[in-house]
């Protein structure tokens, strides 16, 4: 349901696991993201993701306990399925893009400029966004398989089978490869598949990152 908010409860997840409703490790292990165990990445006290709001079509908003708000593919303005009250949220600290198509990324420049958001995207899409006026220092360029810690959260781009272009002020431009995205706090992780065909490694993504959503 568009605009519905889901609240995670770690206690409820642990109880569900104890009673056999969740596979071991889903929602209660200290490191379901896997990549946090990499010793080259110092594990610090991290924020906690608490709420997920589906804003229609591709758009998802995540809220953390410190007030941080993350938008994954936040196509808000122009999205006929986005509730009016979500088109201009109170804050938007981080934007994560799976690819550049209009129904995922066309509101990015407006939102990034309005809120001063950091934007994580593939290298090619990141360069196009900079060219459209998003400050270079607010853009984090990644590639499939890459992970970055941004605003206290871990962002990973995964494989997807789809195309990607971005409509610039000069017309459509190639925007690199389409991706999925995993966003997590070290305990809870959310997987957004973006747009993709069905492929067997979706199961591997599930085993590797153990997303709760």
């Amino acid at each position: 349901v568009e605009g519905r908010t889901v609240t995670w409860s770690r206690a409820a997840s642990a109880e569900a696991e104890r009673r056999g409703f969740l596979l071991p490790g889903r929602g209660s292990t200290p490191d379901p993201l896997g990549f946090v165990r990499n010793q080259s990445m110092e594990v610090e006290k991290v924020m906690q993701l608490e709420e997920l709001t589906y804003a229609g079509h591709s758009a998802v908003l995540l809220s953390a306990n410190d007030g941080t708000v993350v938008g994954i593919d936040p196509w808000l303005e122009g999205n006929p399925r986005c509730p009016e009250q979500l088109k201009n949220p109170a804050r938007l600290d981080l934007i994560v893009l799976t690819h550049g198509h209009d129904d995922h990324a066309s509101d990015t420049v407006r939102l990034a400029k309005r809120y001063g958001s950091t934007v994580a995207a593939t290298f090619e899409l990141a360069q196009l966004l900079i060219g459209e006026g998003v400050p270079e220092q607010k853009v984090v360029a990644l590639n499939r398989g890459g992970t970055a810690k941004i605003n206290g959260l871990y962002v990973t781009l995964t494989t997807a089978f789809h195309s990607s272009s971005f409509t610039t002020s000069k017309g459509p431009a190639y925007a690199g490869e389409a991706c999925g995205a995993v966003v997590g706090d070290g305990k809870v992780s959310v997987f957004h598949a973006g747009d993709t065909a069905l492929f067997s490694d979706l199961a591997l993504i599930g085993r590797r990152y153990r997303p709760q959503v």
Side-chain angles (χ1 to χ4, degrees):
V1 177
E2 285 79 3
R4 180 179 178 181
T5 299
V6 178
T7 302
W8 284 295
S9 167
R10 283 168 173 75
S13 294
E15 176 63 14
E17 180 179 317
R18 186 188 70 79
R19 296 176 64 185
F21 296 128
L22 290 177
L23 293 176
R26 288 186 179 267
S28 63
T29 59
D31 182 19
L33 295 179
F35 51 74
V36 180
R37 289 193 294 269
N38 186 336
Q39 293 183 1
S40 67
M41 301 176 69
E42 182 180 353
V43 179
E44 303 170 350
K45 183 178 180 181
V46 294
M47 69 179 70
Q48 295 180 346
L49 290 172
E50 291 189 333
E51 293 183 349
L52 180 153
T53 302
Y54 176 51
H57 192 71
S58 62
V60 172
L61 301 175
L62 306 176
S63 300
N65 61 336
D66 70 343
T68 294
V69 177
V70 181
I72 306 178
D73 287 354
W75 179 42
L76 305 179
E77 191 171 89
N79 179 352
R81 293 186 176 275
C82 180
E84 194 64 34
Q85 70 271 19
L86 295 180
K87 292 184 178 180
N88 292 288
R91 62 186 287 182
L92 186 59
D93 304 279
L94 172 62
I95 295 171
V96 179
L97 298 177
T98 64
H99 64 293
H101 287 162
D102 286 354
D103 58 343
H104 291 249
S106 63
D107 204 18
T108 299
V109 174
R110 177 187 77 89
L111 293 169
K113 289 181 177 179
R114 174 167 182 160
Y115 296 99
S117 313
T118 300
V119 182
T122 59
F123 176 81
E124 294 85 354
L125 180 52
Q127 300 312 302
L128 294 173
L129 293 168
I130 293 169
E132 293 300 302
V134 179
E136 184 172 2
Q137 66 270 22
K138 301 295 288 185
V139 176
V140 179
L142 295 168
N143 214 321
R144 295 194 303 187
T147 297
K149 189 175 183 181
I150 309 170
N151 293 8
L153 296 169
Y154 296 96
V155 178
T156 299
L157 297 184
T158 66
T159 296
F161 284 93
H162 193 59
S163 59
S164 181
S165 61
F166 182 73
T167 304
T168 71
S169 54
K170 298 179 180 179
Y174 174 70
E177 297 180 310
C179 301
V182 179
V183 178
D185 62 12
K187 291 185 177 181
V188 168
S189 60
V190 175
F191 172 54
H192 191 306
D195 284 348
T196 185
L198 182 65
F199 62 104
S200 60
D201 277 358
L202 286 169
L204 178 60
I205 292 170
R207 293 195 299 271
R208 180 71 174 88
Y209 301 107
R210 303 181 201 170
Q212 280 68 44
V213 181

